Amino acid sequence: MDESPTLGLLERALRASDYMVARAYDAESLDLALHESTPLVLLITQTLNGRSGIEISQKILERFPTLPVLLYADRDDVALFKQAIRAGVSDFLHPPLRIDDIVNIIKHNQKRAERMGDWVRREVRRTTASLEKRMDEMETLVKLGRTIHSSLDLDNVLTSVVTAAVELTGAEEGQLLLLDDETSELYMRAGRNFEENFARAFRLPVKDSIAGQVVHTGQPISFCQDSPSKIKTAYLVYALIYVPLRVGNDVIGVLGVDNRKNKLPFTQHHELLMSVLADYAVIAIENAQAFEATDKERQKLDATITNIQDGVILLDPDHHILLINPATRKVFGMGTTNDLTGQLVSDAITHSDFSGILNSISENPLKYHEIAFEDGRVFNTQYVPIPEVGSVITFEEITHLKMLDRLKSDFIHTISHDLRSPLTAIMGYVELLDRVGPLNDQQKQFVHHVQNSAQNITTLINDLLDLGRIEAGFDTRKDEVAFDAIVGYTLDNLNQQIIEKNQTLKLTIENKLPALRGNPIRLRQLVDNLLVNAVKYTPEGGTLTVNLFREGEQVILEVIDTGLGIPPTDQPHIFEKFYRASNTPKSTPGTGLGLAIVKSIVENHDGRIWLESFVGKGSKFVVVLPIYKRDDD
Ligand code: ADP
């Protein structure tokens, strides 16, 4: 209010009634005063320092809507007061001013403001309480959600769901009923505030029961009645909510709460909470079922692997043990109790053959290996990479097969030996035939046949005896051998046949090829067998390619032809004794021993051999042999 006698009068009157007064002479200082204190009442003149008091009031009321604003006007002006009321002003003062009137108006407005304040506080409290309740509900639901995800104990989770239902709805008791498909009855899977015996014996027919109706229709039911309803014989309730437990289109049970003693009703909000809880229960049940199914599968797999007679080890990609079965433990005598899970397999199994296999896994394309024990046991070991798991190694005992193989070899060796002497006699006498008297042409022809056949048998027997010797490991002597010279020499010997068959030979031998450590006779046999096969199984006009080169500490021999090729089904057996490919014409001479000899020689020289072959296109045999190392190297 501008400085004036009226201001003085008002101030005195108010101070006399114990009010404190702060003055402001313009809108800015009024603003400041309002920031510094919280006035009970604001009294403002029609014009303040040249500005409309009503406009200023309106602005202030936007910020302090409960502040009573009184307008002081020069006179009783109805139009002005109407405008002021529209702006939110609470009351008016105008001359003539009486001290009583002033104080009464102020008091009246102060009271009104206080009442308003009380009301606002009450409202806030009420809203806060209801918000707090909602927060509690949310918290309960969140906690329950966590229990469901962290616990696999279905009883525990379902009991928590029912407990939450009872607590959130303020019900007297709650139950979770599940449908027994066989009997079409509902039984109590979890309950709250029910006697244990009652809960255990609780059975409701789906037909003719309120819960059954929920199962049937898939719709929730809730009611509150003055007279109690029957939910089971002689079991009466006043108020109830039943919500369905849905899995897809099926209803598998019902979640319910009820009041038996008091007639307190449930609200729609309670029903909503119950349906959220029902969803939780369904998730828990589905989780438990999924877990049970996976667990059963796992147990089956465990039992299979445990009881399997072959050794099985499952490894992760870094070769840590994921699983090891008792058969494997028995193979390596590892005891039955110590937990090996997580250990590096190379630490758990230190057998040298096994270590060798592990080391060669990355570079060796062969998946089958043998592990031999000093006590005579031999195991065939297979390594199989499994995508996204790691790998599996299996051990199959082949001791008996090895023994049979040895018996067979011994037998063949003995027979071959025993056949050699009579055969030599036959050859000798046949050669003598024409010396003891002249033979006619036909006799000469017959003698020639006999000589040929006897020669074939001799070759076969020599091959067999060689194989026996190589397999038995008699060729222990190893010298420094110039492998390139051997290959060159063998090719020279074959040159005539190659020319006769009109075949093209492409030969590449790397310069300064290092020497090998080996038995020169056997190495010649090796090269000879591979090259003879290449010539033999390649039709006229074909091409033979021979490459000899060094790679790291190894020498590699490649014999490539454009011949018949070997069918994929025959390839795994092609190095076995007497095995001949199914597409080889019967008329082609051969014993099926050549490649077996080749393989034995390669192994005897710590090398490796494999083939790539396509029927009708040709074959490629690759031999890898380690180079000679001087002892002082
Ligand atoms: P064989 O005395 O029958 O030649 P090998 O042990 O040398 O005996 O070879 C075994 C079989 O492998 C042969 O009978 C033939 O079926 C097949 N084979 C070997 N080398 C080749 C090749 N280069 N091309 C096609 N088939 C071959």
Side-chain angles (χ1 to χ4, degrees), residues 586-601:
K586 290 276 169 291
S587 56
T588 315
T591 57
L593 281 176
L595 288 182
I597 292 178
V598 166
K599 179 135 198 275
S600 292
I601 296 174

Side-chain angles (χ1 to χ4, degrees), residues 130-154:
S130 114
L131 272 179
E132 271 171 3
K133 199 159 166 241
R134 291 277 184 283
M135 294 278 286
D136 284 349
E137 287 173 4
M138 290 301 289
E139 209 172 307
T140 310
L141 292 179
V142 169
K143 256 193 219 152
L144 203 58
R146 254 185 242 135
T147 318
I148 287 170
H149 288 293
S150 61
S151 168
L152 284 169
D153 181 349
L154 189 59

